[in-house]
Amino acid sequence: MDRPVILTGLRANNDLHIGNYFGALLPIVDMANRRAGAYEVHLFVPDLHSFTTPIDHSLLQAQIMHNLKLFVAAGLPLDNPNVHIYRQSYIPAHSELAIILNSFTGMGQLGRMTQYKDKSGKLGDDIVSVGLFDYPVLMAADILLYGTQYVPVGDDQTQHLEFARDIAERMNSKFATELFIVPEPVAKQREFFGGATGQPKGLRIKDLIDPTKKMSKSDESGRGIIFLGDTPEAAVKKIMGATTDSLGAVNLDPDNQPGIANLLQIVALLSNQSLDTVAEMHQGQTEYGTFKKQVAEAVQAFLVDFQARLAAVDEVKLLEKLLASETKMNDVANETLLRVQAAVGLR
Ligand code: TYM
């Protein structure tokens, strides 16, 4: 493929939330709508990544299909021939490349990954899987198979992106060949997507109850998370119950007022304005209840609109596109895999 590739994946371990939506889904959908003539745009479900932490497997199939529908509801243009939508496990080259890359990856490097340390810290030793440890290698395979240059992801995935660059460079130098296209440096990527979300840095929406940690779909209680499938009423309740502080005036001060800063960020994203503009509008507001009500109204309007678009998704068309993309992407991925197999002496 000659056009540069923009690619991202969203796991199907649960319903998506507004962090996933604004951190990864909207930036790539925006690119697909504005730039698909100049780029190949890949949006896929990393289904093999779904159970790196424990899930209810009887729900996975339905969740995968649901998440694919969310992509379309978010505005992914299925008619565009440069847009590709697929499930990771339907393209076996992902797993095969990951197995090869494993042998060129140090245990130490994977053990230092922040996400691995965070997630494994919460699980018992018997539940921490090799899959969780190896997560970044499979993710690197996802990226490198298609010669990807740009990967819109939230801030929490920066280290994994750096790892993909790192292993691509190492393999290229070891085998003295242009084996992989190295994804752009992360700072350059942020610039590239900056226009889409107004985020020069990677985005990190915080949990509403504990605004010192990120909103995460693996979180059990769900009270601090706005899921795309939440009823507007439930979402309003969650916003009204969001943790704030005792300072009593709205300011953009993430260190001292993380809850307020998070709510300002959510309003900025929902209204497609810069964070500074929104902060200025609410600066000094002393009634947190009134402020939260304004945030809740914006969230409610967004969910009503999004869910109407979700209900209108043409499932037949989605399935046709999915199967066509999977056939095509198997060819593209197998070409890269063969090149790697030849380089390491397997072919
Ligand atoms: P997942 O499903 O955990 O997250 C999907 C995307 O949502 C972003 N994200 C957030 N962004 C802002 N604020 C938050 N609170 C927040 N929480 C999550 C994540 O950064 C991510 O971009 N490892 C990927 C899945 C993946 C992938 C890939 C991505 C597998 N292979 C290849 C890109 C390329 C992940 O975190 O999924």
Side-chain angles (χ1 to χ4, degrees), residues 11 19-20 135 139 142 153-154 156-157 203 205 215 217:
R11 285 180 307 144
N20 305 134
Y135 186 115
M139 181 163 162
D142 299 338
V153 282
D156 60 311
Q157 296 299 308
L203 182 69
I205 300 267
M215 189 176 279
K217 59 179 141 68

Side-chain angles (χ1 to χ4, degrees), residues 17-20 156 204-208 210 213-219 224-227 239 262 266:
H17 56 63
I18 55 170
N20 305 134
D156 60 311
R204 182 179 292 243
I205 300 267
K206 304 290 174 46
D207 184 89
L208 297 172
D210 179 357
K213 60 174 207 181
K214 72 159 184 159
M215 189 176 279
S216 165
K217 59 179 141 68
S218 324
D219 229 326
I225 308 168
I226 305 285
F227 288 109
I239 296 288
N262 193 37
I266 291 172

Side-chain angles (χ1 to χ4, degrees), residues 316-332:
V316 174
K317 195 171 157 190
L318 168 61
L319 214 57
E320 276 172 13
K321 175 76 178 184
L322 183 68
L323 299 180
S325 286
E326 282 168 356
T327 303
K328 209 162 150 188
M329 289 307 114
N330 262 299
D331 291 344
V332 178

Side-chain angles (χ1 to χ4, degrees), residues 7-13 16-25 44-46 49 67 88 94 115 119 135 138-143 148 151-158 160-161 202-207 213-218:
L7 169 149
T8 202
L10 294 101
R11 285 180 307 144
N13 57 326
L16 300 185
H17 56 63
I18 55 170
N20 305 134
Y21 180 82
F22 286 112
L25 188 51
F44 75 102
V45 177
H49 277 113
N67 284 20
Q88 181 188 44
H94 289 243
Q115 193 166 72
K119 290 194 175 175
Y135 186 115
L138 180 56
M139 181 163 162
D142 299 338
I143 293 170
T148 307
V151 189
V153 282
D155 185 42
D156 60 311
Q157 296 299 308
T158 305
H160 294 168
L161 217 52
L203 182 69
R204 182 179 292 243
I205 300 267
K206 304 290 174 46
D207 184 89
K213 60 174 207 181
K214 72 159 184 159
M215 189 176 279
S216 165
K217 59 179 141 68
S218 324

Side-chain angles (χ1 to χ4, degrees), residues 16 116 261 294 303:
L16 300 185
Y116 171 72
Q294 289 163 337
L303 287 179

Side-chain angles (χ1 to χ4, degrees), residues 18-125:
I18 55 170
N20 305 134
Y21 180 82
F22 286 112
L25 188 51
L26 197 58
I28 199 159
V29 165
D30 185 65
M31 283 295 165
N33 283 304
R34 292 192 297 119
R35 315 276 286 273
Y39 295 88
E40 300 288 338
V41 177
H42 295 224
L43 180 50
F44 75 102
V45 177
D47 50 358
L48 292 166
H49 277 113
S50 303
F51 42 87
T52 48
T53 50
I55 58 160
D56 180 346
H57 291 262
S58 68
L59 303 177
L60 183 56
Q61 261 311 299
Q63 193 64 59
I64 290 167
M65 294 318 293
H66 180 70
N67 284 20
L68 286 162
K69 281 173 66 180
L70 295 177
F71 297 170
V72 184
L76 190 73
L78 294 183
D79 291 331
N80 195 310
N82 306 123
V83 169
H84 314 288
I85 181 168
Y86 48 91
R87 293 160 288 185
Q88 181 188 44
S89 75
Y90 280 70
I91 301 172
H94 289 243
S95 316
E96 295 197 28
L97 181 58
I99 292 282
I100 294 174
L101 296 181
N102 272 342
S103 295
F104 301 91
T105 303
M107 301 275 286
Q109 189 172 20
L110 292 185
R112 284 192 294 276
M113 294 282 157
T114 310
Q115 193 166 72
Y116 171 72
K117 287 198 278 189
D118 281 356
K119 290 194 175 175
S120 60
K122 288 181 198 145
L123 298 165
D125 265 357

